[in-house]
Amino acid sequence: MPVRQMRESSEQHLVIKPHLQNPMNGAKKVPRAVQNGKGPPPPLPQEPHNQTSSHARNKGRRRGRGGRKCDQGDVLMRPIVTSGVENGSTMCGEIEMGYPTSSKSLTFAPRPGFGQVGTKCIVKGNHFFAELPDKDLNQYDVSITPEVSSKAVNRSIIAELVRLYKESDLGMRLPAYDGRKSLYTAGPLPFSWREFKIKVVDDEDGVNGPKREREYRVVIKFVARANLHHLGQFLAGKRADAPQEALQILDIVLRELSSKRFCPIGRSFFSPDIRTPQRLGEGLESWCGFYQSIRPTQMGLSLNIDMASAAFIEPLPVVEYVGQLLGKDILSRQLSDADRIKIKKALRGVKVEVTHRGSVRRKYRVSGLTSQPTRELVFPVDENSTMKSVVEYFQEMYGFTIKYTHLPCLQVGNQKKANYLPMEACKIVEGQRYTKRLNEKQITALLKVTCQRPRDRESDILRTIQHNAYDQDPYAKEFGIKISEKLASVEARILPAPWLKYHESGKEKNCLPQVGQWNMMNKKMINGMTVSRWACINFSRSVQDTVALSFCTELAQMCQVSGMEFNPEPVIPIYNAKPEHVEKALKHVYHVSSNKTKGKELELLLAILPDNNGSLYGDLKRICETDLGLISQCCLTKHVFKITKQYLANVSLKINVKMGGRNTVLVDAVSCRIPLVSDIPTIIFGADVTHPENGEDSSPSIAAVVASQDWPEVTKYAGLVCAQAHRQELIQDLYKMWHDPVRGLVSGGMIRDLLISFRKATGQKPLRIIFYRDGVSEGQFYQVLLYELDAIRKACASLEPNYQPPVTFIVVQKRHHTRLFANNHRDRNSTDKSGNILPGTVVDSKICHPTEFDFYLCSHAGIQGTSRPAHYHVLWDENNFTADGIQSLTNNLCYTYARCTRSVSVVPPAYYAHLAAFRARFYMEPDMQENGSSGGGGGGECGVVKPLPALKENVKRVMFYC
């Protein structure tokens, strides 16, 4: 990631300087007004004038339950519009913020202690204690000439080197190799630099036939010695900085043997021998495997083992694979142009081996597909351009008769020198992961394989650790690593479910969820909205008008029963339309309804869609939300025909929040009893970035930010979305400045807009910010915190001088491999109906970080499979949350998710941000979705990304993404 020095400004709080976070820096005493939450924290300085760093403030402030309520009427939020000269910035179009310089001197929030709230229990985690070795770990640089791009070939070269020289030049050392540039040993090699000549047989040439031998020059050079003392101190909590090099070495050592036994992909290993592969359709099959990673935890080093599944291309003859891919007989039928395109997309980059040469099984990577059938293909065979057909060549050269001459040939090699291979002479090489998008049937089939009950998953994990036999692993022995075969036993607590508040007119005014769920019987929405003007479009041919009208009537009744005021009669009769005429139909209904109501806008559009509707759903949402300003609710045909009260109740919940209402709120929120939320106006943000799928190399990434718009209830969230450079994780539009010809330097961005929106909705400015950030991997923590916290600071400062509310920045992770199991699966009091741990189970010890402020929370009840707890990592905390404070707040918020009467697995603001980002991908124009952003935008800072169409004002104010 390119690093660029940030523009400096005369306002001290605008730039985070990493060196200020160094605990060695001097620290002033923080004013008591700041300690008690009665005023904004002092600004972050630009230069080191012995001013207090945020980290020092974090340590110095008393941890409490929040200060007294501030006088919110003392300072107004005034938008700042200045000229470039006044602000020290150049006047040149849009001014980018740039990337703050990342530094490992930045210290994340330390753990303030351990939580105490909740019923204590014991759970088991899929972490296995790893004894720290007592040997020196040495790193060597490996240079292989000629350079090889394949890890597998590199490994075969080093394996041959070790076989030849282990007992001599290597001094009996058994090195571990990462497949690229690094080699590791337990203890030093007898040399600091040495060159070897290694001859390796090209195993792609044949089985029993003649084989080619290649010679490589291998240079091994000493680089460094890993500091295990540093690692020991870090694990003991005596040092805050993790020794990544030592951890990386140990991880590679424990992966070495599995890399030889199985098919390595990322941090997982797969094999068709672990479990019989299951067909997924269209030439794909599922392989089972296991994930493995060494992690630093409070109990010491831990080996995290989890089960994994992935889609692989079946090792079939290419003709058979193509038949499965197209779902038809290709041996006697001509291929259409559409068939050729599908085959070309599926096979490009796939490795095949020839089958027409007996024992010689040369392997090639497919680069394309011929446009002509095999019988028409000719090529020059000599310098005189004598032409010969492919059919004749294979007959004369190999005695191979091509039967299916109507099929095209595979092209292998590069464009300048492409070779032709008949499909029937090729077989797909085993062990190739399928990285493109799976269709619905394939996803369903894969989920059946991956979905395991907790007891079965636990058994498979234990079998894996025993099968891997780390006590017999020669590399683990060499490096002195010992792995326990017992699951970690971890102390946990079950947090109580919060009381929920419903409307006073219902029979049940308050509700206490049981095992993470409840229902709407005898309850009415706390803030039910009114729908006076609505219409319905039916895009499904199979749904008759009478059926559609009956469905709409029952839905209107359910909305009324649930606490909304819903006019039972639509503005116009139900309008039938074809999916291909979606834009025309929407505009027709919009204008006809507007005429009927004498200019009053339609409040809600119901849309009945076919079950398989292709791009219809996305097109409808794009037109409604960015063009017409219509709130819409889509319903599938299968639900219209089979109406259930549960379905209607869930749809009514979604309609109410889309109209701006609230379904329920926390009793503690309306009673102002939530620590560090209820005392002063607090805004809760959620943010996420979704990236294009594998294979899309130019489509933009989509960032979304949502923020609570009510206080003290913290239940309603407004959302904003933007497109940014391909696979850019840092959210670029959190804060931005640009030069306006008339107004001068103007500030904007999603944080700023949402802060202003909060002020308009509540009449008060936020005096505390809680920011839940989804989708960040551990390796990006520093970058994301530096950049996005700085953007938050700048957004606040642009509204009002010295306006810097304290920020708590929490990363939410779901893509991790920690699983928690009940200590006794037979004890029904310790599990839910699915056999999973109970909702509210929180873990902040033993398998968590040695020093930093993180915890695992399983806030939801399982439905099927094994529940995945969310991992929350508090990176920055100026509000001084206690462990109980942030854990209880996060768990309680999970019961406020608007779309169902269940607690959810991820804190709602992060969940909503994910939904909004997913929705925004529909806003891209069709050519943009297929070909990516205009002007490239392929991941660099200079790429031009076409902006998304703006949301209509009435849409962005409500939870349109629900």
Side-chain angles (χ1 to χ4, degrees), residues 156 197 269 297 358 589 664 670 760 878 907 954:
S156 66
K197 295 285 178 65
F269 300 94
T297 63
V589 168
T664 185
V670 292
K760 287 179 179 176
E878 292 170 340
V907 68
N954 66 313

Side-chain angles (χ1 to χ4, degrees), residues 722-846:
C722 70
Q724 59 186 42
H726 177 75
R727 298 219 162 262
Q728 170 63 264
E729 184 57 48
L730 306 179
I731 302 178
Q732 301 300 291
D733 275 7
L734 286 182
Y735 176 73
K736 58 185 178 182
M737 293 185 294
W738 66 93
H739 184 262
D740 183 271
V742 177
R743 297 186 295 163
L745 193 64
V746 182
S747 297
M750 295 194 283
I751 294 290
R752 191 179 191 278
D753 290 350
L754 289 167
L755 289 171
I756 293 171
S757 178
F758 179 95
R759 175 61 187 265
K760 287 179 179 176
T762 65
Q764 304 181 84
K765 64 179 180 182
L767 296 178
R768 178 184 292 118
I769 293 174
I770 300 170
F771 196 93
Y772 285 99
R773 177 65 156 89
D774 197 5
V776 181
S777 64
E778 289 176 357
Q780 297 171 310
F781 279 5
Y782 286 97
Q783 258 190 324
V784 168
L785 178 64
L786 279 167
Y787 185 87
E788 296 184 4
L789 182 60
D790 185 58
I792 295 168
R793 294 259 188 259
K794 288 181 175 179
C796 293
S798 74
L799 290 166
E800 182 180 287
N802 300 319
Y803 173 55
Q804 287 295 301
V807 179
T808 296
F809 194 104
I810 309 152
V811 167
V812 187
Q813 293 175 303
K814 281 289 281 184
R815 292 184 178 180
H816 61 81
H817 287 269
T818 292
R819 300 291 183 273
L820 302 174
F821 304 102
N823 191 44
N824 180 3
H825 290 286
R826 294 177 182 174
D827 180 7
R828 296 198 173 181
N829 292 323
S830 64
T831 62
D832 59 22
K833 289 180 181 178
S834 67
N836 280 289
I837 54 174
L838 293 170
T841 301
V842 63
V843 168
D844 60 4
S845 63
K846 200 161 184 179

Side-chain angles (χ1 to χ4, degrees), residues 75-113:
V75 186
L76 296 174
M77 295 174 72
R78 295 183 297 275
I80 294 177
V81 180
T82 62
S83 69
V85 176
E86 290 173 335
N87 210 33
S89 301
T90 56
M91 298 168 67
C92 55
E94 184 165 326
I95 299 170
E96 294 184 9
M97 289 173 58
Y99 298 93
T101 306
S102 179
S103 168
K104 294 298 167 107
S105 63
L106 172 69
T107 305
F108 295 145
R111 189 180 299 282

Side-chain angles (χ1 to χ4, degrees), residues 536-549 551 574-582 585 606-613 616-617 620 634-642:
C536 175
I537 298 186
N538 177 19
F539 289 102
S540 179
R541 290 179 182 176
S542 59
V543 177
Q544 302 299 317
D545 283 358
T546 52
V547 176
L549 185 59
F551 172 79
I574 292 173
Y575 184 76
N576 295 300
K578 294 180 179 179
E580 56 268 29
H581 299 149
V582 56
L606 298 178
I608 298 172
L609 310 186
D611 293 333
N612 298 310
N613 55 71
L616 175 59
Y617 176 84
L620 185 146
C634 296
C635 304
L636 293 177
T637 298
K638 61 183 179 183
H639 297 305
V640 173
F641 279 123
K642 189 180 179 182

Side-chain angles (χ1 to χ4, degrees), residues 699-735:
S699 295
S701 293
I702 304 289
V705 180
V706 304
S708 57
Q709 299 294 289
D710 53 349
W711 179 83
E713 296 92 344
V714 290
T715 303
K716 291 168 68 172
Y717 291 82
L720 297 172
V721 292
C722 70
Q724 59 186 42
H726 177 75
R727 298 219 162 262
Q728 170 63 264
E729 184 57 48
L730 306 179
I731 302 178
Q732 301 300 291
D733 275 7
L734 286 182
Y735 176 73

Side-chain angles (χ1 to χ4, degrees), residues 269-529:
F269 300 94
F270 296 93
S271 170
D273 301 325
I274 293 176
R275 197 186 298 166
T276 305
Q278 301 294 310
R279 284 198 163 181
L280 303 178
E282 296 191 11
L284 302 185
E285 64 183 8
S286 66
W287 281 21
C288 287
F290 63 93
Y291 167 92
Q292 173 182 301
S293 175
I294 197 94
R295 300 189 60 79
T297 63
Q298 291 170 34
M299 70 177 183
L301 275 182
S302 145
L303 188 67
N304 182 201
I305 298 281
D306 191 25
M307 303 316 295
S309 291
F312 281 74
I313 303 171
E314 276 196 75
L316 298 168
V318 171
V319 169
E320 190 178 335
Y321 170 79
V322 170
Q324 284 198 26
L325 177 71
L326 300 178
K328 63 183 182 182
D329 175 25
I330 65 166
L331 301 182
S332 57
R333 295 182 184 179
Q334 295 289 335
L335 297 180
S336 66
D337 289 342
D339 291 337
R340 290 175 191 274
I341 291 169
K342 188 171 184 179
I343 296 167
K344 187 177 180 179
K345 281 184 177 179
L347 286 177
R348 182 182 289 156
V350 173
K351 194 178 279 188
V352 297
E353 60 183 7
V354 297
T355 57
H356 65 285
R357 296 178 60 185
S359 61
V360 178
R361 305 296 285 261
R362 287 206 66 180
K363 295 174 184 174
Y364 300 90
R365 199 170 290 279
V366 178
S367 59
L369 195 71
T370 62
S371 56
Q372 299 166 286
T374 304
R375 60 174 169 250
E376 295 177 14
L377 292 172
V378 294
F379 63 97
V381 291
D382 55 30
E383 294 177 358
N384 299 322
S385 295
T386 305
M387 305 303 285
K388 181 170 285 192
S389 73
V390 170
V391 175
E392 289 174 338
Y393 176 81
F394 273 82
Q395 183 65 57
E396 294 172 11
M397 190 73 180
Y398 306 112
F400 181 79
T401 303
I402 301 174
K403 296 178 185 176
Y404 310 115
T405 58
H406 65 287
L407 296 176
C409 274
L410 303 179
Q411 289 177 304
V412 296
N414 55 42
Q415 288 182 341
K416 291 182 180 178
K417 189 183 178 182
N419 294 317
Y420 299 139
L421 285 177
M423 282 189 184
E424 62 198 272
C426 300
K427 180 177 182 291
I428 291 171
V429 174
E430 186 180 59
Q432 297 181 79
R433 188 184 178 190
Y434 184 77
T435 57
K436 300 181 181 73
R437 184 178 184 176
L438 298 175
N439 62 36
E440 291 296 327
K441 288 184 179 179
Q442 291 167 337
I443 291 170
T444 302
L446 185 60
L447 286 175
K448 283 184 180 178
V449 177
T450 58
C451 187
Q452 285 183 291
R453 287 181 174 274
R455 182 183 297 188
D456 298 333
R457 195 181 195 98
E458 181 185 329
S459 298
D460 278 359
I461 290 169
L462 288 169
R463 267 195 296 273
T464 299
I465 199 101
Q466 289 159 8
H467 181 265
N468 289 351
Y470 296 100
D471 58 332
Q472 302 298 318
D473 183 337
Y475 296 94
K477 280 185 175 180
E478 171 82 8
F479 284 78
I481 304 172
K482 296 178 181 176
I483 306 294
S484 167
E485 291 192 352
K486 291 184 178 180
L487 290 158
S489 183
V490 186
E491 289 184 2
R493 290 167 291 114
I494 302 170
L495 301 179
W499 280 90
L500 303 177
K501 176 72 175 171
Y502 282 92
H503 198 271
E504 291 293 321
S505 62
K507 288 183 180 178
E508 288 187 34
K509 300 167 181 58
N510 294 334
C511 166
L512 182 63
Q514 300 297 317
V515 197
Q517 50 194 314
W518 64 104
N519 58 52
M520 286 295 292
M521 287 178 65
N522 300 322
K523 304 175 191 68
K524 291 190 182 292
M525 300 157 176
I526 186 79
N527 297 117
M529 298 303 287

